[in-house]
Structures are given as structure tokens and as C-alpha cells.
């Protein structure tokens, strides 16, 4: 029997600090591994050492930057140098909002080492879709006082459930024909001495949504913007610079409180909410988690640097 298995989907929290690093938290950097693809979302200072500590290696297939505040991009320069040292030849796409071309051009001019591979800058706007094999990264506008984007990694739909018993009733013997039906092909079988064609629709349930990870970058809550690119999320990684004692401050500086992050996670029927970009003023995250949990009944976490989360399929 052929089983259709899904790709692994893992999120490495390499940097969970707010604007300033602390002895325990690095500036923002999130690595998402899907199957053999590795994508980096923001790349703060010190990202390379975090990759070493998390033992992820440096192989990166694309970098997505949310905005041009230095805590989100300073790690790119060192990473490029290392990839060059290591003899990388493949082009590296760098996606980001307006000024991504200036950033990449400036970086290449500034660096007196030879970048031995091409850095391909690509500017994204709200609604831009970057296609990968089996999934897309969709950009949405955020609200941070300058041009900024968040990203949703959205997998393609999965085939529906295969009804084994029904297939047998229709005369299909367990074996290679099951696999062909699961891949969407019609098969011909002999039943009661007659040739019968069995269509995939007779034995497959409706397609099921793939998994989705949303990363907001720095922002006020933008439920409508996110909802225009995805209606649901398995994991929401949200700006939670402040807890609820600082709602005014959060509004002033275009960040979110953990309670506001909870509102977004609830609107997206998220499985898990990860609170990140924690301000250096806090020594613990218990209040952040408490405040988010008041407004969102799914799982709330405030990951430590180097934590890794595996995202399972829903049902
Ligand atoms: Zn920031
Ligand atoms: Zn910022």
C-alpha cells in the first residue's frame, strides 16, 4: 500500500528579542524548514552563532526580511560572508519590502570580500506570492510606521482522506492501484466479470488544507491584512514587545502587546501562538503569556532562543 506522507515543517526560534538583544535573547531570526527547504525570516545580529548552537547548518535557500530596522537585518552581512567562504555558488534570493534593492546593492558594495554567488533582491508588496515546491510564501502589509511586511507560509492543499473500505467494495484490490487513486488517477478493475472504471472522487474525501505559519514581524495588530492572504494558521509568530501594562506605549511605537497578539491568533483560529520580539525591559514572560491566554484559547508560548517547534498536520 502506498501512503502519502507529508513533508516535515519545523520552526527554529533563533532570535526572540525586541529591538535590543539581551544576554539570553538574540535579535529577530526565525528559520523555517520544510522538507529539504530552509527559509530565513529576518536575520538579526548574531544569527550565525545561533545557527551553530541550534545545529541547523548555514544552508539557506531564501531570506525574507520584514523591514529595514537594523535588529532585523544586521545578521545578513556576516552570513553572506560565511556562505561565500564555504564556496556557495547558487544564487540567494533576498525578499523584502521597498528598499530591498538598495540594501542588497549597498551590502555588495560595502563588502570588500568577494561574494562568489549572486544575491537576487526582490521587492514584495502586500499580496505578493513567492512559489516554492508544494507551498507559497505570501506577503502582507503590516503597521510599523515604515514600509513593512509580514509573511505567511501556506502549504498547498493536501489530497482528501482515502476510503480504503469503499475502494475494496468497488472492486479495487489493495496494492499499487490504491496509490494511483490517491494520486488522482482513475483505475480500471474487473468486478463480477465486467470491467469497471473507478474514479478518485469515489474513494477520496475532499481536499484538506495544508499547514500555515504566519510571522508578523514588528507591527500593530493587522487582522484584516493577514486574513486577506490566509484565513487560518497553525502557528502565529507575533510581535509581543509588551505585556498589557504597556498598551499606550505599544500603540505609540507601532508594536503589539501580547493581548493584541492573542486577538490575532484567535481571528486566525490558530493552533499555537508564539510571542516574540520581547522587550529587553522584561526578565520573564509569565505576564505576556497570561495576557495572551485571556484573549486566545489555543496554546500560547513565549519561546526561548534556540527552541524548535514541529508543526503537525491538522486532523
Ligand atoms: Zn524589531
Ligand atoms: Zn522594527
Amino acid at each position: 500500500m502506498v501512503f502519502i506522507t507529508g513533508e516535515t515543517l519545523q520552526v527554529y526560534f533563533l532570535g526572540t528579542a525586541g529591538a535590543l538583544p539581551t544576554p539570553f535573547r538574540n535579535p529577530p531570526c526565525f528559520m523555517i524548514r520544510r522538507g529539504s527547504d530552509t527559509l530565513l525570516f529576518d536575520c538579526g545580529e548574531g544569527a550565525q552563532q545561533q545557527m551553530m548552537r541550534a545545529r541547523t547548518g548555514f544552508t539557506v535557500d531564501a531570506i525574507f526580511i520584514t523591514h529595514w530596522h537594523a535588529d532585523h537585518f544586521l545578521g545578513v552581512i556576516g552570513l553572506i560572508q560565511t556562505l561565500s567562504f564555504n564556496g556557495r555558488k547558487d544564487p540567494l534570493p533576498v525578499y523584502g519590502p521597498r528598499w530591498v534593492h538598495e540594501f542588497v546593492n549597498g551590502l555588495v558594495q560595502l563588502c570588500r570580500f568577494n561574494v562568489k554567488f549572486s544575491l537576487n533582491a526582490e521587492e514584495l508588496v502586500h499580496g505578493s506570492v513567492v512559489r516554492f515546491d508544494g507551498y507559497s510564501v505570501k506577503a502582507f502589509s503590516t503597521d510599523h510606521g515604515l514600509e513593512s511586511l509580514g509573511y505567511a507560509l501556506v502549504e498547498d492543499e493536501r489530497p482528501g482522506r482515502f476510503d480504503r473500505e469503499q475502494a475494496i467494495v468497488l472492486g479495487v484490490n489493495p496494492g499499487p492501484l490504491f496509490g494511483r487513486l490517491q494520486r488522482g488517477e482513475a483505475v480500471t478493475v474487473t468486478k463480477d466479470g465486467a470491467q469497471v472504471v473507478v474514479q478518485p472522487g469515489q474513494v477520496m474525501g475532499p481536499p484538506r488544507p495544508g499547514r500555515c505559519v504566519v510571522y508578523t514581524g514588528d507591527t500593530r495588530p493587522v487582522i484584516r491584512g493577514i486574513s486577506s492572504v490566509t484565513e487560518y494558521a497553525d502557528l502565529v509568530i507575533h510581535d509581543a514587545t509588551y505585556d498589557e501594562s504597556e498598551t499606550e506605549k505599544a500603540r505609540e511605537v507601532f508594536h503589539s502587546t501580547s493581548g493584541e497578539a492573542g486577538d490575532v491568533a484567535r481571528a486566525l483560529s490558530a493552533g499555537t501562538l508564539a510571542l516574540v520580539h520581547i522587550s529587553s525591559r522584561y526578565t520573564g514572560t509569565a505576564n505576556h503569556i497570561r495576557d495572551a491566554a485571556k484573549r486566545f484559547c489555543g496554546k500560547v508560548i513565549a519561546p526561548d532562543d534556540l527552541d524548535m517547534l514541529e508543526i503537525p498536520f491538522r486532523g
Side-chain angles (χ1 to χ4, degrees), residues 163-313:
D163 189 338
R164 193 172 191 277
E165 284 68 38
Q166 176 68 2
I168 292 168
V169 168
L170 292 170
V172 187
N173 290 325
L177 294 184
F178 274 23
R180 286 177 53 193
L181 283 164
Q182 288 167 341
R183 287 191 294 272
E185 297 170 31
V187 301
T188 305
V189 295
T190 308
K191 188 167 188 255
D192 305 329
Q195 297 247 301
V196 205
V197 176
V198 178
Q199 299 290 343
Q202 294 175 268
V203 292
M204 299 292 292
R208 293 171 286 176
R211 293 163 294 186
C212 174
V213 177
V214 168
Y215 169 51
T216 63
D218 295 2
T219 186
R220 298 287 302 138
V222 286
I223 292 173
R224 214 180 313 159
I226 303 173
S227 301
S228 69
V229 301
T230 180
E231 289 170 353
Y232 68 97
D234 294 272
L235 171 67
V236 175
I237 305 167
H238 204 288
D239 178 334
T241 307
Y242 303 103
D243 63 24
E244 285 309 294
S245 64
E246 297 280 4
T247 50
E248 276 310 307
K249 177 79 179 163
R251 195 168 303 131
E252 239 170 65
V253 295
F254 295 94
H255 282 290
S256 296
T257 64
S258 51
E260 290 167 334
D263 293 339
V264 174
R266 188 178 69 237
L268 292 170
S269 310
T272 302
L273 167 63
L275 305 169
V276 300
H277 206 270
I278 307 292
S279 166
S280 57
R281 70 178 62 195
Y282 300 104
T283 50
T285 52
N287 291 351
H288 283 75
I289 291 174
R290 177 203 62 202
D291 295 341
K294 280 183 189 162
R295 284 147 79 164
F296 167 63
C297 60
K299 188 173 178 197
V300 181
I301 56 174
D304 290 326
D305 277 23
L306 309 183
D307 280 357
M308 190 275 274
L309 207 59
E310 179 115 30
I311 315 295
F313 284 104

Side-chain angles (χ1 to χ4, degrees), residues 80-104:
I80 299 303
Q81 169 148 319
T82 298
L83 294 175
S84 216
F85 271 140
N86 289 351
R88 184 187 177 105
K89 295 280 180 289
D90 295 339
L92 179 63
V94 180
Y95 300 98
R98 188 176 163 205
W99 301 307
V100 66
H101 290 282
E102 286 83 346
F103 171 71
V104 167

Side-chain angles (χ1 to χ4, degrees), residues 17-20 28 42 66-67 69-72 144 215 217-218 239 241 255 277:
L20 304 175
D42 284 335
T66 56
H67 65 293
H69 282 158
D71 51 321
H72 295 257
H144 189 45
Y215 169 51
D218 295 2
D239 178 334
T241 307
H255 282 290
H277 206 270

